[in-house]
Amino acid sequence: MALFVRLLALALALALGPAATLAGPAKSPYQLVLQHSRLRGRQHGPNVCAVQKVIGTNRKYFTNCKQWYQRKICGKSTVISYECCPGYEKVPGEKGCPAALPLSNLYETLGVVGSTTTQLYTDRTEKLRPEMEGPGSFTIFAPSNEAWASLPAEVLDSLVSNVNIELLNALRYHMVGRRVLTDELKHGMTLTSMYQNSNIQIHHYPNGIVTVNCARLLKADHHATNGVVHLIDKVISTITNNIQQIIEIEDTFETLRAAVAASGLNTMLEGNGQYTLLAPTNEAFEKIPSETLNRILGDPEALRDLLNNHILKSAMCAEAIVAGLSVETLEGTTLEVGCSGDMLTINGKAIISNKDILATNGVIHYIDELLIPDSAKTLFELAAESDVSTAIDLFRQAGLSNHLSGSERLTLLAPLNSVFKDGTPPIDAHTRNLLRNHIIKDQLASKYLYHGQTLETLGSKKLRVFVYRNSLCIENSCIAAHDKRGRYGTLFTMDRVLTPPMGTVMDVLKGDNRFSMLVAAIQSAGLTETLNREGVYTVFAPTNEAFRALPPRERSRLLGDAKELANILKYHIGDEILVSGGIGALVRLKSLQGDKLEVSLKNNVVSVNKEPVAEPDIMATNGVVHVITNVLQPPANRPQERGDELADSALEIFKQASAFSRASQRSVRLAPVYQKLLERMKH
């Protein structure tokens, strides 16, 4: 039995392959990017990594797949260079970087990785070099030479003027009392430094960027006999204040300070967590119209939404941004964070004036423009950022401004500007009433609308919702863009002016002189009651000209035969409501007669059975009317189809004749068959 179990385990291992037996822990994002850089550099020899350098700078990045093909970092072009991967060195006369760096102590390793300035300052202290050269296990996040050189002169002077206190403390803050490799550097973790056990913040982003107090890890995992060295691009300093405390002490956050206090968010901003605050300066608040700002500041819910729209769910250091990415705020909206050279952008705008102000519970970026979410806006404010300005002007002229800027729960159906390319209607009683019927007495969300739902307007009309495969329509008008949900109202952008239903289908036809012959025909065929009662019909209504275009003899025969007339008219009536916006490419609509109508839309022209519709979407309470200029013929009545049927019959008879001919060798029995054929063809 034991042998069987061992054999079974071996068989499974062989079946699953090496991955099942050799799989190790999952690689971190940094390790995956390093692995990709190795892959791109392998043609140059072993342990060679491809590195992207931003043209005109000294900034270098190990490359991921996307960056490799785009050849850009923060919108700036890069060149590819090939260097030894971390931990390896060249050997004269050999290709690539075949030799592992010799293991030395931490102090000597600093010189190897390009942090000779850190070595120099270590020498100036009395205690630190012996510690770095002695026994133990340490990690040092060593600033590059360029990082030291970029320090403000007054900061550097204060360090070197008191080497055994200020400089020593600064260097020990870069150290951890144990070996920490990149696979242990997790996003949002803190490490305890060797300076007063102060915390160091670590963030490890999905794009492979690792930051230490928002300083980028340049080269990692350089092993030493007594620890490991990671090269970073900044000199880091201790973090003492939380986000709320920074807001309290900065003069430029006076308005923000008052807003946070009024919203009650100060408790969160001084508590535990890791947040990014896109902190609006006083200048940002001053750019907002005072009426809008006072409304938001006086509305606790809108104010909270506003502030939450400036808070990201995790700490986001500027160095983590090498291309555009979407981030979610506490309010639930998505911001597009990107970069252009050294500047960070929010939704494409370079509005960040100061970045990477570290707090114990996150990071702050100063912004000079307020990010007002839809949820804090009025309908007027929502519309100002949409392609519906013409419609909004009409609502304003019609005296409906109070509804669009007040606290009523409403949904505005606003037609696109392109709908009015031929001009706008005059503001009269009819237009005012029409516009009132574009305002629904409830704050809706399109994702909750359903087919057959009725909505009540300010004009006391009942509007119907139609759900089609690729569109969502309210009466004849379909939603053309994602809805915007504001503080009290929701904006639906519509593809045309909505026309509420005015009576039944029969009422519509009777009220239009173009359909007098059709009305008479409907009455003769006994279909009046059908088109007057509740229902869901699509009527392709032939005009008087369509009837007059019929040959006189055929018209007289049709109008004189109630049964055939009813059959023809039922073929013009679909058994569901189909507005033009719900057609898509082609819809086969079942008629009351039983056969299907082929309804299509091409270049904004509706056609039925390939015949263009003269006027679509006249709405009725029990359906929709589409005006046509010809009388439709059911398939069985179409000459072409009768001809096809005759041809099929003739073909079948010829087949029978051929079969008989082969069987009887031109027997006289063929005579009745040919006679039958001749009789059929006469008809």
Side-chain angles (χ1 to χ4, degrees):
M1 183 65 179
L3 177 61
F4 172 75
V5 171
R6 287 197 296 272
L7 288 173
L8 179 60
L10 178 61
L12 285 171
L14 290 173
L16 294 173
T21 54
L22 301 178
K27 292 185 183 303
S28 69
Y30 171 84
Q31 291 168 327
L32 290 173
V33 169
L34 184 61
Q35 179 177 291
H36 181 266
S37 289
R38 277 180 176 274
L39 180 66
R40 295 298 181 182
R42 63 184 177 180
Q43 61 182 334
H44 295 273
N47 305 313
V48 173
C49 284
V51 177
Q52 283 187 282
K53 180 181 178 182
V54 181
I55 295 175
T57 73
N58 291 321
R59 297 170 66 84
K60 295 181 180 180
Y61 295 80
F62 292 121
T63 179
N64 62 30
C65 189
K66 184 177 181 180
Q67 291 164 358
W68 174 265
Y69 288 108
Q70 290 184 342
R71 293 290 201 274
K72 288 184 182 296
I73 299 290
C74 285
K76 301 298 182 181
S77 297
T78 62
V79 292
I80 303 295
S81 61
Y82 297 91
E83 303 177 358
C84 291
C85 296
Y88 295 90
E89 65 179 353
K90 292 180 176 294
V91 174
E94 295 193 31
K95 187 177 181 181
C97 305
L101 286 170
L103 279 182
S104 304
N105 58 51
L106 281 178
Y107 177 81
E108 293 179 359
T109 304
L110 288 174
V112 173
V113 303
S115 188
T116 53
T117 305
T118 306
Q119 270 186 323
L120 173 66
Y121 289 142
T122 299
D123 280 336
R124 292 195 181 185
T125 67
E126 295 178 0
K127 301 179 181 178
L128 196 54
R129 179 170 177 174
E131 196 168 3
M132 285 190 178
E133 291 178 329
S137 180
F138 307 101
T139 296
I140 180 167
F141 296 102
S144 65
N145 294 338
E146 292 80 3
W148 286 106
S150 65
L151 274 181
E154 62 273 14
V155 174
L156 193 56
D157 287 345
S158 69
L159 293 176
V160 299
S161 63
N162 193 347
V163 292
N164 287 317
I165 298 178
E166 296 295 337
L167 183 59
L168 176 62
N169 291 341
L171 290 172
R172 289 178 69 83
Y173 181 65
H174 288 73
M175 298 179 66
V176 177
R178 63 185 180 88
R179 187 189 307 266
V180 184
L181 301 176
T182 52
D183 59 358
E184 190 182 339
L185 298 178
K186 307 299 182 184
H187 190 70
M189 74 179 295
T190 58
L191 295 174
T192 303
S193 78
M194 292 174 58
Y195 168 65
Q196 296 184 352
N197 292 328
S198 299
N199 285 336
I200 300 173
Q201 291 184 4
I202 303 296
H203 292 96
H204 196 150
Y205 299 94
N207 61 4
I209 299 290
V210 179
T211 61
V212 183
N213 282 13
C214 285
R216 180 166 64 93
L217 203 65
L218 301 177
K219 291 184 178 180
D221 296 337
H222 287 276
H223 290 270
T225 55
N226 56 346
V228 62
V229 177
H230 304 293
L231 190 69
I232 59 177
D233 72 345
K234 293 183 183 70
V235 178
I236 62 175
S237 56
T238 57
I239 308 167
T240 56
N241 293 325
N242 59 46
I243 292 175
Q244 179 61 31
Q245 288 170 328
I246 294 174
I247 294 174
E248 293 287 345
I249 61 178
E250 290 291 333
D251 291 338
T252 191
F253 294 144
E254 182 181 355
T255 309
L256 176 62
R257 187 158 56 244
V260 169
S263 70
L265 286 174
N266 47 344
T267 302
M268 181 188 77
L269 295 180
E270 63 189 9
N272 295 327
Q274 284 290 305
Y275 303 105
T276 298
L277 175 63
L278 303 171
T281 60
N282 295 336
E283 180 186 352
F285 283 98
E286 289 166 2
K287 291 179 180 178
I288 302 301
S290 57
E291 182 182 349
T292 300
L293 183 58
N294 291 336
R295 176 183 60 78
I296 294 175
L297 293 177
D299 181 342
E301 185 172 334
L303 178 59
R304 193 173 185 88
D305 286 348
L306 171 70
L307 294 177
N308 279 336
N309 200 50
H310 291 75
I311 304 173
L312 308 184
K313 294 182 175 181
S314 62
M316 178 69 68
C317 295
E319 287 292 346
I321 311 299
V322 295
L325 76 159
S326 299
V327 295
E328 188 177 358
T329 69
L330 289 186
E331 201 276 323
T333 60
T334 299
L335 300 177
E336 297 299 324
V337 179
C339 53
S340 178
D342 291 332
M343 296 184 299
L344 283 187
T345 61
I346 305 292
N347 294 337
K349 297 180 180 180
I351 60 174
I352 294 181
S353 56
N354 195 4
K355 56 191 179 184
D356 289 345
I357 309 304
L358 284 166
T360 55
N361 56 350
V363 60
I364 298 175
H365 305 295
Y366 293 27
I367 62 171
D368 292 333
E369 189 172 304
L370 214 55
L371 306 172
I372 305 178
D374 287 349
S375 59
K377 294 177 182 177
T378 65
L379 281 169
F380 266 141
E381 291 163 352
L382 291 175
E385 301 172 359
S386 304
D387 190 21
V388 294
S389 58
T390 305
I392 294 305
D393 285 341
L394 289 174
F395 284 108
R396 188 179 285 111
Q397 293 171 38
L400 298 172
S401 298
N402 289 340
H403 295 292
L404 306 187
S405 58
S407 57
E408 294 175 89
R409 295 288 180 181
L410 301 172
T411 297
L412 178 65
L413 311 179
L416 287 162
N417 289 339
S418 57
V419 173
F420 303 101
K421 63 181 182 298
D422 296 326
T424 57
I427 301 299
D428 52 22
H430 170 75
T431 302
R432 286 189 181 90
N433 193 48
L434 179 63
L435 292 173
R436 287 175 64 83
N437 287 323
H438 282 71
I439 304 175
I440 308 296
K441 289 182 177 180
D442 195 6
Q443 186 175 16
L444 304 173
S446 60
K447 62 184 177 182
Y448 294 119
L449 297 181
Y450 57 88
H451 192 76
Q453 183 178 3
T454 58
L455 313 171
E456 186 178 357
T457 72
L458 287 184
S460 300
K461 286 289 184 182
K462 298 287 188 181
L463 305 180
R464 296 158 297 181
V465 176
F466 305 121
V467 179
Y468 301 104
R469 183 174 297 277
N470 295 310
S471 54
L472 178 61
C473 305
I474 300 173
E475 294 299 333
N476 62 303
S477 186
C478 301
I479 297 175
H482 292 297
D483 39 306
K484 289 177 170 288
R485 187 177 179 87
R487 176 66 178 93
Y488 295 105
T490 298
L491 175 69
F492 286 177
T493 302
M494 311 303 289
D495 67 352
R496 66 198 68 198
V497 174
L498 183 145
T499 55
M502 304 294 291
T504 66
V505 168
M506 278 307 296
D507 293 331
V508 170
L509 298 177
K510 286 180 178 179
D512 193 325
N513 292 332
R514 292 177 295 175
F515 304 121
S516 57
M517 294 183 71
L518 174 60
V519 170
I522 290 171
Q523 291 169 340
S524 298
L527 294 175
T528 303
E529 184 181 347
T530 299
L531 297 181
N532 260 328
R533 66 185 178 213
E534 288 187 9
V536 285
Y537 304 115
T538 296
V539 178
F540 294 94
T543 60
N544 295 339
E545 287 72 17
F547 280 100
R548 293 190 187 106
L550 291 173
R553 192 171 174 184
E554 182 178 346
R555 184 172 66 243
S556 298
R557 180 184 59 78
L558 177 62
L559 296 176
D561 186 338
K563 184 176 180 181
E564 184 175 353
L565 180 60
N567 187 61
I568 292 287
L569 292 177
K570 285 181 179 179
Y571 184 63
H572 289 71
I573 305 172
D575 64 356
E576 60 180 286
I577 295 177
L578 179 63
V579 298
S580 59
I583 293 172
L586 176 67
V587 173
R588 301 189 73 223
L589 178 66
K590 185 178 180 182
S591 71
L592 297 186
Q593 177 261 356
D595 288 315
K596 291 187 176 180
L597 298 158
E598 292 190 354
V599 188
S600 60
L601 181 68
K602 186 176 182 181
N603 298 327
N604 293 320
V605 176
V606 179
S607 296
V608 55
N609 293 350
K610 299 182 180 179
E611 296 290 340
V613 169
E615 181 185 345
D617 299 333
I618 302 175
M619 304 308 297
T621 55
N622 58 346
V624 60
V625 175
H626 302 297
V627 182
I628 58 175
T629 56
N630 61 297
V631 177
L632 303 175
Q633 296 291 336
N637 290 10
R638 296 178 198 163
Q640 177 63 41
E641 303 220 8
R642 290 201 301 272
D644 291 345
E645 184 181 351
L646 178 59
D648 291 343
S649 299
L651 180 61
E652 181 61 30
I653 293 171
F654 276 118
K655 286 181 180 178
Q656 294 179 20
S658 299
F660 277 125
S661 177
R662 288 194 299 271
S664 60
Q665 298 295 318
R666 301 184 185 277
S667 168
V668 293
R669 285 181 294 174
L670 285 174
V673 176
Y674 286 116
Q675 184 64 36
K676 182 178 179 183
L677 172 62
L678 290 172
E679 290 175 359
R680 292 287 297 274
M681 293 186 70
K682 285 178 183 178
H683 293 290

